[in-house]
């Protein structure tokens, strides 16, 4: 089943029906935003995944990953008319910080990697100067400001993730690893090609779950998101759109999951409905789509934004500022097609992509 569509119909097919070339990469469900950005760059541009010499040594995993032919090998190069080959990016959930990290590295590079790597070995991703390679960035239920679910469920995270990754270790090298790819080979406890022995795998799992950073749990938290995304910013040649949903209702000052929310999400939604701290409280943070709080998905804190429904004309859509779409009655999986009607879901993505491809290109 495709991530964007599930059993409702592949959104990629709908986009391509509009004459737009579209790819849906798989960058790993548990990887950090840095690692995912590095994988995504290699998948689009082509070449071997390079997580960076400094980064990989700092966090104790292998430096290199798979090699890819590239969806758009001429990405960033000039076409026959002398125009830069650009792409549009769409990210769901943790895909939002992944895209923001990728754009940041494209534009700014990474000074630590530049200083700590032989110039002949330095990945182009870490050199910067590539902000013009991206035309638009669209996020769906994005975890921009972190979500309170990891904060509310903190005691459960380490034992649950340890158990999950042990299943991945046991399944390594079997048919199941091809059915569900953990995409953490560089940490040494998952593999599609070979079976990882118990001693080696369990030691690698312990190292990973004890990492306070460079993992999805920390970076999904409100603290981790703020720390890891604090340097990101918007660029005047890129259009930004944020879509987000809500499927909770408020009564007597308390948020409740709606009966419309997808059944598995009802297990998680109450944690956020009831959780609050000094910075994350009230309706904005207790209302959620089952996984992501409204306050997390609206737009990145500290970055410019405008409510899209206040824009009167298409010509008034500006780059360098988040265009925040009106909140939708959707849960987190609605953007994946769960519970959506086939034609409605297909047209939703057609309209989304049509809007960004119609916007004037800024060189």
């Amino acid at each position: 089943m495709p991530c964007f569509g599930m059993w409702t119909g592949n959104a990629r097919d709908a986009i391509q029906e509009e004459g737009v070339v579209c790819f849906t990469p798989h960058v790993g469900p548990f990887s950090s935003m840095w690692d995912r950005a590095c994988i995504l760059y290699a998948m689009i541009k082509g070449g071997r995944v390079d997580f960076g010499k400094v980064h990989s040594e700092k966090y104790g995993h292998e430096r290199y990953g798979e090699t890819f032919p590239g969806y758009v090998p001429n990405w960033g190069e000039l076409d026959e008319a002398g125009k830069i080959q650009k792409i549009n990016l769409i990210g769901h959930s943790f895909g939002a910080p992944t895209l923001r990290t990728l754009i940041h590295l494209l534009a700014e590079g990474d000074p630590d990697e530049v200083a700590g790597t032989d110039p002949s070995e330095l990945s182009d991703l870490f050199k910067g100067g590539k902000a013009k390679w991206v035309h638009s960035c669209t996020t769906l239920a994005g975890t921009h400001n972190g979500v309170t679910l990891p904060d509310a469920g903190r005691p459960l995270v380490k034992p649950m993730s340890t158990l999950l990754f042990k299943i991945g270790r046991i399944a390594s090298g079997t048919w199941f690893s091809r059915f569900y790819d953990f995409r953490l080979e560089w940490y040494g406890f998952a593999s599609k090609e070979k079976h990882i022995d118990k001693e080696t795998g369990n030691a690698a799992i312990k190292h990973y779950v004890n990492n306070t950073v460079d993992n999805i749990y920390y970076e999904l938290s409100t603290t981790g998101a703020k720390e890891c995304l604090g340097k990101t910013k918007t660029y005047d040649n890129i259009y930004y759109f944020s879509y987000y949903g809500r499927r909770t209702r408020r009564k007597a000052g308390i948020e409740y999951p709606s009966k419309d929310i997808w059944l598995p999400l009802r297990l998680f939604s109450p944690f956020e409905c009831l959780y609050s701290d000094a910075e994350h409280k009230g309706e904005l943070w207790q209302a959620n789509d089952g996984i992501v709080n409204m306050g997390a998905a609206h737009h990145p804190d500290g970055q410019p934004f405008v409510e899209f429904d206040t824009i009167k004309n298409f010509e008034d859509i500006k780059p360098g500022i988040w265009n925040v779409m009106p909140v939708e009655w959707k849960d987190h999986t609605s953007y994946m097609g769960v519970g959506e009607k086939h034609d409605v879901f297909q047209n939703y993505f057609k309209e989304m992509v049509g809007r960004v491809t119609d916007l004037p290109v800024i060189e």
Side-chain angles (χ1 to χ4, degrees):
M1 294 184 293
C3 181
F4 286 105
M6 304 292 279
W7 49 83
T8 306
N10 198 333
R12 177 188 171 187
D13 293 342
I15 292 170
Q16 296 201 130
E17 285 176 6
E18 300 300 294
V20 178
V21 179
C22 179
F23 300 95
T24 49
H26 171 48
V27 292
F30 307 108
S31 310
S32 67
M33 58 183 78
W34 174 288
D35 291 352
R36 288 159 62 99
C38 294
I39 296 170
L40 186 56
Y41 176 77
M43 284 186 155
I44 299 171
K45 183 64 175 173
R48 190 178 186 186
V49 177
D50 184 349
F51 298 112
K53 180 178 183 295
V54 176
H55 176 90
S56 56
E57 289 177 354
K58 182 177 181 180
Y59 297 112
H61 63 71
E62 296 177 9
R63 174 178 174 180
Y64 296 104
E66 295 179 63
T67 300
F68 298 98
Y71 298 139
V72 190
N74 62 344
W75 182 29
E77 298 175 9
L78 300 181
D79 62 15
E80 294 178 355
K83 304 293 185 181
I84 297 175
Q85 297 287 325
K86 296 173 178 271
I87 61 172
N88 298 288
L89 297 166
I90 301 174
H92 172 245
S93 192
F94 197 57
T98 300
L99 297 188
R100 290 172 60 196
T101 302
L102 174 63
I103 292 171
H104 174 76
L105 290 173
L106 288 170
E108 310 294 337
D110 186 78
D112 292 335
E113 292 296 339
V114 172
T117 310
D118 186 304
S120 65
E121 297 181 355
L122 183 66
S123 168
D124 283 345
L125 176 60
F126 306 131
K127 295 178 181 179
K130 305 178 182 66
K132 293 184 177 180
W133 287 23
V134 178
H135 177 61
S136 71
C137 173
T138 299
T139 63
L140 313 175
T143 61
H144 290 297
N145 304 311
V147 296
T148 59
L149 184 60
D151 302 332
R154 191 180 304 276
L156 301 174
V157 172
K158 189 174 288 188
M160 289 179 64
S161 58
T162 298
L163 175 61
L164 178 66
F165 294 143
K166 282 186 176 181
I167 294 173
R169 197 280 305 169
I170 294 170
S172 61
T174 69
W175 66 269
F176 185 79
S177 66
R178 290 167 173 77
F179 172 74
Y180 191 87
D181 189 355
F182 280 74
R183 264 268 152 84
L184 285 168
E185 293 86 352
W186 51 96
Y187 267 102
F189 58 83
S191 174
K192 297 191 295 290
E193 308 302 327
K194 62 180 181 179
H195 184 69
I196 309 297
D197 67 82
K198 182 177 180 180
E199 183 177 356
T200 301
N202 286 350
I205 291 170
K206 184 177 181 180
H207 167 70
Y208 185 64
V209 298
N210 284 334
N211 266 358
T212 54
V213 290
D214 200 44
N215 63 63
I216 192 173
Y217 160 66
Y218 176 72
E219 295 175 0
L220 272 176
S221 71
T222 53
T223 300
K226 182 184 295 185
E227 179 178 326
C228 295
L229 295 167
K231 294 181 180 179
T232 64
K233 60 183 183 180
T234 58
Y235 297 92
D236 290 339
N237 62 282
I238 300 176
Y239 298 95
Y240 298 85
F241 292 89
S242 173
Y243 294 74
Y244 70 113
R246 172 183 186 171
R247 271 203 177 155
T248 58
R249 299 186 187 278
R250 199 164 189 83
K251 184 177 181 180
I254 299 175
E255 206 73 20
Y256 297 89
S258 164
K259 63 178 182 177
D260 294 339
I261 204 166
W262 192 38
L263 186 60
L265 299 185
R266 295 183 195 178
L267 175 66
F268 303 107
S269 183
F271 282 92
E272 295 177 318
C273 288
L274 299 174
Y275 179 83
S276 67
D277 59 30
E279 293 184 48
H280 310 93
K281 58 186 177 181
E283 185 172 358
L284 184 65
W285 279 95
Q286 291 178 327
N288 62 82
D289 65 7
I291 297 290
V292 177
N293 318 78
M294 288 205 313
H298 188 271
H299 78 285
D301 284 346
Q303 296 187 3
F305 77 95
V306 61
E307 300 290 352
F308 189 78
D309 57 7
T310 65
I311 297 175
K312 303 301 181 184
N313 303 300
F314 184 81
E315 296 77 15
D316 294 331
I317 300 175
K318 304 299 182 185
I321 181 171
W322 285 93
N323 295 277
V324 182
M325 311 306 286
V327 62
E328 304 175 280
W329 187 247
K330 292 179 180 290
D331 67 38
H332 199 64
T333 57
S334 298
Y335 297 98
M336 301 164 65
V338 176
E340 299 292 296
K341 294 181 179 179
H342 176 272
D343 290 346
V344 173
F345 184 71
Q346 302 273 299
N347 290 332
Y348 185 83
F349 277 85
K350 288 181 179 180
E351 181 180 347
M352 179 193 306
V353 173
R355 178 180 291 116
V356 298
T357 54
D358 284 345
L359 288 167
V361 175
I362 302 173
E363 296 295 336

PDB file of all heavy atoms in Angstrom, residues 264-281:
ATOM      1  N   PRO A 264      -7.360   3.296  15.673  1.00  0.00           N
ATOM      2  CA  PRO A 264      -6.046   3.147  16.333  1.00  0.00           C
ATOM      3  C   PRO A 264      -5.528   4.441  16.952  1.00  0.00           C
ATOM      4  O   PRO A 264      -4.765   4.404  17.932  1.00  0.00           O
ATOM      5  CB  PRO A 264      -5.132   2.680  15.193  1.00  0.00           C
ATOM      6  CG  PRO A 264      -6.048   2.019  14.213  1.00  0.00           C
ATOM      7  CD  PRO A 264      -7.308   2.832  14.275  1.00  0.00           C
ATOM      8  N   LEU A 265      -5.922   5.586  16.402  1.00  0.00           N
ATOM      9  CA  LEU A 265      -5.436   6.860  16.927  1.00  0.00           C
ATOM     10  C   LEU A 265      -6.113   7.249  18.240  1.00  0.00           C
ATOM     11  O   LEU A 265      -5.622   8.125  18.955  1.00  0.00           O
ATOM     12  CB  LEU A 265      -5.640   7.975  15.899  1.00  0.00           C
ATOM     13  CG  LEU A 265      -4.916   7.832  14.563  1.00  0.00           C
ATOM     14  CD1 LEU A 265      -5.119   9.084  13.714  1.00  0.00           C
ATOM     15  CD2 LEU A 265      -3.423   7.580  14.771  1.00  0.00           C
ATOM     16  N   ARG A 266      -7.215   6.599  18.556  1.00  0.00           N
ATOM     17  CA  ARG A 266      -7.903   6.920  19.809  1.00  0.00           C
ATOM     18  C   ARG A 266      -7.071   6.508  21.019  1.00  0.00           C
ATOM     19  O   ARG A 266      -7.312   6.965  22.138  1.00  0.00           O
ATOM     20  CB  ARG A 266      -9.266   6.225  19.853  1.00  0.00           C
ATOM     21  CG  ARG A 266     -10.219   6.739  18.781  1.00  0.00           C
ATOM     22  CD  ARG A 266     -11.579   6.084  18.881  1.00  0.00           C
ATOM     23  NE  ARG A 266     -12.339   6.306  17.666  1.00  0.00           N
ATOM     24  CZ  ARG A 266     -13.551   5.823  17.446  1.00  0.00           C
ATOM     25  NH1 ARG A 266     -14.151   5.106  18.393  1.00  0.00           N
ATOM     26  NH2 ARG A 266     -14.175   6.046  16.305  1.00  0.00           N
ATOM     27  N   LEU A 267      -6.093   5.644  20.800  1.00  0.00           N
ATOM     28  CA  LEU A 267      -5.187   5.251  21.872  1.00  0.00           C
ATOM     29  C   LEU A 267      -4.235   6.384  22.229  1.00  0.00           C
ATOM     30  O   LEU A 267      -3.841   6.554  23.385  1.00  0.00           O
ATOM     31  CB  LEU A 267      -4.387   4.014  21.431  1.00  0.00           C
ATOM     32  CG  LEU A 267      -3.291   3.511  22.379  1.00  0.00           C
ATOM     33  CD1 LEU A 267      -3.913   2.987  23.657  1.00  0.00           C
ATOM     34  CD2 LEU A 267      -2.471   2.415  21.703  1.00  0.00           C
ATOM     35  N   PHE A 268      -3.858   7.195  21.216  1.00  0.00           N
ATOM     36  CA  PHE A 268      -2.855   8.237  21.418  1.00  0.00           C
ATOM     37  C   PHE A 268      -3.457   9.609  21.713  1.00  0.00           C
ATOM     38  O   PHE A 268      -2.900  10.385  22.490  1.00  0.00           O
ATOM     39  CB  PHE A 268      -1.967   8.342  20.165  1.00  0.00           C
ATOM     40  CG  PHE A 268      -1.286   7.059  19.798  1.00  0.00           C
ATOM     41  CD1 PHE A 268      -1.705   6.320  18.699  1.00  0.00           C
ATOM     42  CD2 PHE A 268      -0.234   6.575  20.548  1.00  0.00           C
ATOM     43  CE1 PHE A 268      -1.086   5.132  18.354  1.00  0.00           C
ATOM     44  CE2 PHE A 268       0.406   5.393  20.229  1.00  0.00           C
ATOM     45  CZ  PHE A 268      -0.023   4.666  19.121  1.00  0.00           C
ATOM     46  N   SER A 269      -4.568   9.917  21.072  1.00  0.00           N
ATOM     47  CA  SER A 269      -5.143  11.248  21.178  1.00  0.00           C
ATOM     48  C   SER A 269      -5.404  11.716  22.616  1.00  0.00           C
ATOM     49  O   SER A 269      -5.105  12.865  22.955  1.00  0.00           O
ATOM     50  CB  SER A 269      -6.444  11.325  20.369  1.00  0.00           C
ATOM     51  OG  SER A 269      -6.986  12.619  20.394  1.00  0.00           O
ATOM     52  N   PRO A 270      -5.924  10.860  23.512  1.00  0.00           N
ATOM     53  CA  PRO A 270      -6.196  11.327  24.878  1.00  0.00           C
ATOM     54  C   PRO A 270      -4.958  11.812  25.622  1.00  0.00           C
ATOM     55  O   PRO A 270      -5.064  12.702  26.481  1.00  0.00           O
ATOM     56  CB  PRO A 270      -6.788  10.083  25.558  1.00  0.00           C
ATOM     57  CG  PRO A 270      -7.374   9.291  24.444  1.00  0.00           C
ATOM     58  CD  PRO A 270      -6.439   9.498  23.297  1.00  0.00           C
ATOM     59  N   PHE A 271      -3.776  11.251  25.308  1.00  0.00           N
ATOM     60  CA  PHE A 271      -2.551  11.713  25.961  1.00  0.00           C
ATOM     61  C   PHE A 271      -2.363  13.208  25.722  1.00  0.00           C
ATOM     62  O   PHE A 271      -1.982  13.956  26.623  1.00  0.00           O
ATOM     63  CB  PHE A 271      -1.337  10.950  25.418  1.00  0.00           C
ATOM     64  CG  PHE A 271      -1.174   9.569  25.985  1.00  0.00           C
ATOM     65  CD1 PHE A 271      -1.728   8.476  25.350  1.00  0.00           C
ATOM     66  CD2 PHE A 271      -0.448   9.365  27.150  1.00  0.00           C
ATOM     67  CE1 PHE A 271      -1.579   7.198  25.866  1.00  0.00           C
ATOM     68  CE2 PHE A 271      -0.284   8.088  27.677  1.00  0.00           C
ATOM     69  CZ  PHE A 271      -0.852   6.998  27.040  1.00  0.00           C
ATOM     70  N   GLU A 272      -2.614  13.637  24.486  1.00  0.00           N
ATOM     71  CA  GLU A 272      -2.431  15.045  24.129  1.00  0.00           C
ATOM     72  C   GLU A 272      -3.606  15.892  24.605  1.00  0.00           C
ATOM     73  O   GLU A 272      -3.427  17.059  24.963  1.00  0.00           O
ATOM     74  CB  GLU A 272      -2.254  15.178  22.618  1.00  0.00           C
ATOM     75  CG  GLU A 272      -0.977  14.503  22.133  1.00  0.00           C
ATOM     76  CD  GLU A 272      -0.819  14.553  20.630  1.00  0.00           C
ATOM     77  OE1 GLU A 272      -1.831  14.347  19.920  1.00  0.00           O
ATOM     78  OE2 GLU A 272       0.301  14.787  20.169  1.00  0.00           O
ATOM     79  N   CYS A 273      -4.793  15.313  24.605  1.00  0.00           N
ATOM     80  CA  CYS A 273      -5.968  16.045  25.077  1.00  0.00           C
ATOM     81  C   CYS A 273      -5.828  16.450  26.546  1.00  0.00           C
ATOM     82  O   CYS A 273      -6.302  17.517  26.958  1.00  0.00           O
ATOM     83  CB  CYS A 273      -7.220  15.201  24.914  1.00  0.00           C
ATOM     84  SG  CYS A 273      -7.772  14.981  23.204  1.00  0.00           S
ATOM     85  N   LEU A 274      -5.179  15.613  27.320  1.00  0.00           N
ATOM     86  CA  LEU A 274      -5.097  15.828  28.765  1.00  0.00           C
ATOM     87  C   LEU A 274      -3.772  16.426  29.217  1.00  0.00           C
ATOM     88  O   LEU A 274      -3.660  16.913  30.342  1.00  0.00           O
ATOM     89  CB  LEU A 274      -5.327  14.504  29.504  1.00  0.00           C
ATOM     90  CG  LEU A 274      -6.678  13.842  29.263  1.00  0.00           C
ATOM     91  CD1 LEU A 274      -6.726  12.473  29.924  1.00  0.00           C
ATOM     92  CD2 LEU A 274      -7.809  14.717  29.793  1.00  0.00           C
ATOM     93  N   TYR A 275      -2.761  16.400  28.343  1.00  0.00           N
ATOM     94  CA  TYR A 275      -1.431  16.862  28.742  1.00  0.00           C
ATOM     95  C   TYR A 275      -1.307  18.378  28.624  1.00  0.00           C
ATOM     96  O   TYR A 275      -1.842  18.995  27.699  1.00  0.00           O
ATOM     97  CB  TYR A 275      -0.365  16.211  27.865  1.00  0.00           C
ATOM     98  CG  TYR A 275       1.049  16.653  28.205  1.00  0.00           C
ATOM     99  CD1 TYR A 275       1.752  16.049  29.238  1.00  0.00           C
ATOM    100  CD2 TYR A 275       1.661  17.695  27.507  1.00  0.00           C
ATOM    101  CE1 TYR A 275       3.041  16.446  29.564  1.00  0.00           C
ATOM    102  CE2 TYR A 275       2.951  18.107  27.827  1.00  0.00           C
ATOM    103  CZ  TYR A 275       3.631  17.480  28.854  1.00  0.00           C
ATOM    104  OH  TYR A 275       4.910  17.881  29.173  1.00  0.00           O
ATOM    105  N   SER A 276      -0.591  18.972  29.562  1.00  0.00           N
ATOM    106  CA  SER A 276      -0.249  20.394  29.458  1.00  0.00           C
ATOM    107  C   SER A 276       0.973  20.667  30.315  1.00  0.00           C
ATOM    108  O   SER A 276       1.227  19.965  31.296  1.00  0.00           O
ATOM    109  CB  SER A 276      -1.415  21.284  29.895  1.00  0.00           C
ATOM    110  OG  SER A 276      -1.671  21.132  31.275  1.00  0.00           O
ATOM    111  N   ASP A 277       1.749  21.648  29.906  1.00  0.00           N
ATOM    112  CA  ASP A 277       2.849  22.137  30.727  1.00  0.00           C
ATOM    113  C   ASP A 277       2.877  23.658  30.600  1.00  0.00           C
ATOM    114  O   ASP A 277       1.959  24.256  30.019  1.00  0.00           O
ATOM    115  CB  ASP A 277       4.186  21.494  30.330  1.00  0.00           C
ATOM    116  CG  ASP A 277       4.567  21.742  28.877  1.00  0.00           C
ATOM    117  OD1 ASP A 277       4.183  22.793  28.322  1.00  0.00           O
ATOM    118  OD2 ASP A 277       5.254  20.885  28.282  1.00  0.00           O
ATOM    119  N   ALA A 278       3.907  24.285  31.111  1.00  0.00           N
ATOM    120  CA  ALA A 278       3.943  25.742  31.155  1.00  0.00           C
ATOM    121  C   ALA A 278       3.836  26.381  29.777  1.00  0.00           C
ATOM    122  O   ALA A 278       3.212  27.430  29.601  1.00  0.00           O
ATOM    123  CB  ALA A 278       5.215  26.210  31.854  1.00  0.00           C
ATOM    124  N   GLU A 279       4.434  25.745  28.763  1.00  0.00           N
ATOM    125  CA  GLU A 279       4.449  26.312  27.409  1.00  0.00           C
ATOM    126  C   GLU A 279       3.380  25.730  26.504  1.00  0.00           C
ATOM    127  O   GLU A 279       2.999  26.361  25.519  1.00  0.00           O
ATOM    128  CB  GLU A 279       5.817  26.088  26.764  1.00  0.00           C
ATOM    129  CG  GLU A 279       6.966  26.843  27.410  1.00  0.00           C
ATOM    130  CD  GLU A 279       8.260  26.638  26.659  1.00  0.00           C
ATOM    131  OE1 GLU A 279       8.273  26.777  25.418  1.00  0.00           O
ATOM    132  OE2 GLU A 279       9.266  26.304  27.305  1.00  0.00           O
ATOM    133  N   HIS A 280       2.906  24.545  26.790  1.00  0.00           N
ATOM    134  CA  HIS A 280       1.998  23.833  25.884  1.00  0.00           C
ATOM    135  C   HIS A 280       0.701  23.502  26.618  1.00  0.00           C
ATOM    136  O   HIS A 280       0.575  22.445  27.248  1.00  0.00           O
ATOM    137  CB  HIS A 280       2.674  22.564  25.362  1.00  0.00           C
ATOM    138  CG  HIS A 280       4.044  22.803  24.808  1.00  0.00           C
ATOM    139  ND1 HIS A 280       5.181  22.662  25.577  1.00  0.00           N
ATOM    140  CD2 HIS A 280       4.441  23.226  23.587  1.00  0.00           C
ATOM    141  CE1 HIS A 280       6.239  22.961  24.843  1.00  0.00           C
ATOM    142  NE2 HIS A 280       5.817  23.314  23.642  1.00  0.00           N
ATOM    143  N   LYS A 281      -0.229  24.432  26.547  1.00  0.00           N
ATOM    144  CA  LYS A 281      -1.485  24.265  27.263  1.00  0.00           C
ATOM    145  C   LYS A 281      -2.607  24.972  26.503  1.00  0.00           C
ATOM    146  O   LYS A 281      -2.368  25.726  25.564  1.00  0.00           O
ATOM    147  CB  LYS A 281      -1.358  24.835  28.676  1.00  0.00           C
ATOM    148  CG  LYS A 281      -0.962  26.306  28.721  1.00  0.00           C
ATOM    149  CD  LYS A 281      -0.709  26.769  30.150  1.00  0.00           C
ATOM    150  CE  LYS A 281      -0.245  28.221  30.191  1.00  0.00           C
ATOM    151  NZ  LYS A 281       0.021  28.680  31.556  1.00  0.00           N
TER     152      LYS A 281
END
